[in-house]
Amino acid sequence: MTDLTLLSRRAHDACATLAAHTEVPGEITRTFLSAPSRDVTAFLTAWAHELGLEVRVDAAGNLRARRAGPTPDAPTLFLGSHVDTVPNAGAFDGVLGVTLAFAVAEALRGEALPFALELLAFSEEEGVRFGVPFIGSRALTGTLEPLLTLWDARGVSVLDAIRAYGLDDAALPDAVVQGGALGFLEFHIEQGPVLQAAGAAVGVVSAIVGQDRVLLDFTGQAAHAGTTPMGHRRDALAAAARFAVAAEDLARVTPGLVATVGVMTARPGAINVIPGSAHCTLDLRHEDDAVRAGALEALLNAARTFAEERGVTLDVTHKMAQPAIPMDASFRDLLRAAAAQEGLLAPDLVSGAGHDAMILAERMPAAMLFLRSPNALSHHPDETVNPEDVDAALRVGVAFVRALAAREGAR
């Protein structure tokens, strides 16, 4: 019998190995189709060949390692996550989900399965290079084309990047999932405090929150700070500041809602000049689209009120409206049962961040298993994970696949 503890250690240690492949010495930075991506692909390809898997890199740069099913028309179970990073990242975000997928495949190497197994290492999820995420997983759902004309900071388009990497963009249709898709399971660190507070090694994601991203531009009148009485001012920054506080206040009293004003700038930006214009952003998230929509309406109405009170105009630009994505109920049941089988507490929790699973959920049943994030720290060089939690996640993943095989084999 395969030693799962040794395999979980292999998955854990592989993250440290892959962390060395970086664009910036001394930190972990690996963006879409950067040179270090080739080293990551080579490492995972060697592991896949060791397991006897068929390997290809699709036209979006995703590494795909496949174990064929018992028949040509057998459906496919997909496992994986992404291998790109944010700037100056930690070693486990995304990558651990890939190495755990490989560990699951290694654990099940000698077992018959009634479906094919395909391991996915998505080339891009973070949105760092081109400002829009999920280039890798969108290739599998056939929704990548609108992103091909996006440009990075150096004036290179997504399409140019694909060609410069030596990939054939004409083959992008071949990246789309064909045939029966049984579903997708993604392992990922939580990146938050819920599991740590619950004392749980792993948790089952119930839904990935919906998001609104909005830009607000307040325009008043710049004027002398000493000679303009308070009642005569058209202070754009004061209106924007009231909005930022209102967003925080509403989120604090609305269960599950998070609201962030992450950017605020004012012009002309002098200590003795009343701000004539102010720009700010709003990031609003909730697992219930109706709650999120109601909160957005309330906050924009408040912003208009704050502007009107000061003789300030307001322009609103909606940048993104992403609906909440529930995870597949049957897969969640299997994950909970697998955790119970291993004697593990696996509470349900909502993902406040976006993940590849939300993209693949458009095409197939999708589920996520979160691992505890010590100190809730992620997107940071000190990001870490407990080795015993990696072991727990692997055991749950293996039990999940076995349970799924038993279910499908009985049909």
Side-chain angles (χ1 to χ4, degrees):
M1 178 176 289
T2 303
D3 188 326
L4 294 186
T5 299
L6 288 178
L7 274 183
S8 72
R9 174 54 67 178
R10 181 176 188 179
H12 180 279
D13 292 349
C15 294
T17 300
L18 295 177
H21 302 307
T22 175
E23 297 169 63
V24 182
E27 65 180 52
I28 306 170
T29 299
R30 190 170 54 249
T31 57
F32 175 61
L33 298 186
S34 58
S37 300
R38 297 186 189 277
D39 299 318
V40 172
T41 296
F43 176 92
L44 295 173
T45 297
W47 192 350
H49 284 160
E50 179 186 327
L51 301 180
L53 304 179
E54 298 178 2
V55 180
R56 70 182 176 111
V57 176
D58 68 25
N62 301 311
L63 182 139
R64 302 168 72 161
R66 185 174 179 84
R67 168 181 162 172
T71 62
D73 61 347
T76 301
L77 175 66
F78 296 88
L79 306 174
S81 191
H82 62 96
V83 292
D84 68 315
T85 74
V86 298
N88 200 20
F92 300 98
D93 176 5
V95 176
L96 181 60
V98 175
T99 63
L100 273 170
F102 274 71
V104 168
E106 185 167 350
L108 298 170
R109 184 176 182 181
E111 298 184 26
L113 297 173
F115 43 76
L117 197 64
E118 186 163 324
L119 313 182
L120 302 170
F122 291 119
S123 58
E124 200 283 335
E125 186 261 8
E126 296 287 5
V128 173
R129 182 172 178 183
F130 292 96
V132 176
F134 307 121
I135 290 173
S137 50
R138 287 185 188 277
L140 273 72
T141 59
T143 56
L144 177 56
E145 185 173 356
L147 277 60
L148 294 177
T149 55
L150 296 176
W151 298 78
D152 68 11
R154 291 172 292 183
V156 178
S157 72
V158 174
L159 185 60
D160 292 337
I162 287 172
R163 291 171 176 171
Y165 198 75
L167 299 170
D168 181 8
D169 58 281
L172 279 171
D174 296 334
V176 178
V177 171
Q178 306 293 331
L182 189 58
F184 174 65
L185 173 63
E186 181 173 8
F187 302 93
H188 206 284
I189 57 173
E190 180 197 348
Q191 304 176 283
V194 176
L195 293 178
Q196 181 169 266
V202 295
V204 178
V205 175
S206 58
I208 298 175
V209 295
Q211 300 183 40
D212 285 293
R213 294 186 182 181
V214 181
L215 310 181
L216 298 95
D217 289 286
F218 296 84
T219 304
Q221 177 65 61
H224 196 291
T227 61
T228 309
M230 296 304 294
H232 291 262
R233 297 180 178 219
R234 297 172 57 202
D235 190 331
L237 181 57
R242 286 293 305 275
F243 170 76
V245 174
E248 181 188 47
D249 288 345
L250 180 61
R252 285 183 179 275
V253 298
T254 306
L257 183 70
V258 290
T260 305
V261 176
V263 175
M264 184 173 288
T265 58
R267 291 183 178 180
I271 194 170
N272 60 343
V273 180
I274 299 163
S277 65
H279 168 82
C280 69
T281 62
L282 173 67
D283 181 308
L284 195 66
R285 309 188 188 203
H286 198 278
E287 64 176 306
D288 186 319
D289 289 335
V291 172
R292 194 182 79 256
L296 180 61
E297 182 180 10
L299 287 175
L300 293 182
N301 285 338
R304 295 183 186 100
T305 298
F306 300 143
E308 290 170 2
E309 289 173 347
R310 292 162 180 78
V312 170
T313 62
L314 172 64
D315 290 318
V316 176
T317 304
H318 296 267
K319 295 294 288 184
M320 185 178 81
Q322 170 67 50
I325 306 294
M327 296 290 93
D328 182 75
S330 66
F331 272 27
R332 289 167 54 198
D333 288 343
L334 287 176
L335 282 172
R336 283 191 291 262
Q341 176 183 315
E342 296 299 323
L344 294 166
L345 174 68
D348 283 358
L349 71 167
V350 175
S351 173
H355 297 284
D356 290 304
M358 67 193 292
I359 303 301
L360 291 194
E362 302 171 8
R363 172 65 177 77
M364 65 188 75
M368 294 193 73
L369 186 75
F370 271 176
L371 288 76
R372 172 168 42 194
S373 288
N375 300 317
L377 193 61
S378 182
H379 283 188
H380 187 279
D382 293 336
E383 171 186 282
T384 187
V385 68
N386 299 321
E388 59 270 25
D389 294 350
V390 179
D391 184 68
L394 177 59
R395 292 178 185 279
V396 172
V398 170
F400 167 87
V401 176
R402 286 173 175 157
L404 186 61
R407 187 189 80 179
E408 293 301 305
R411 289 184 174 181

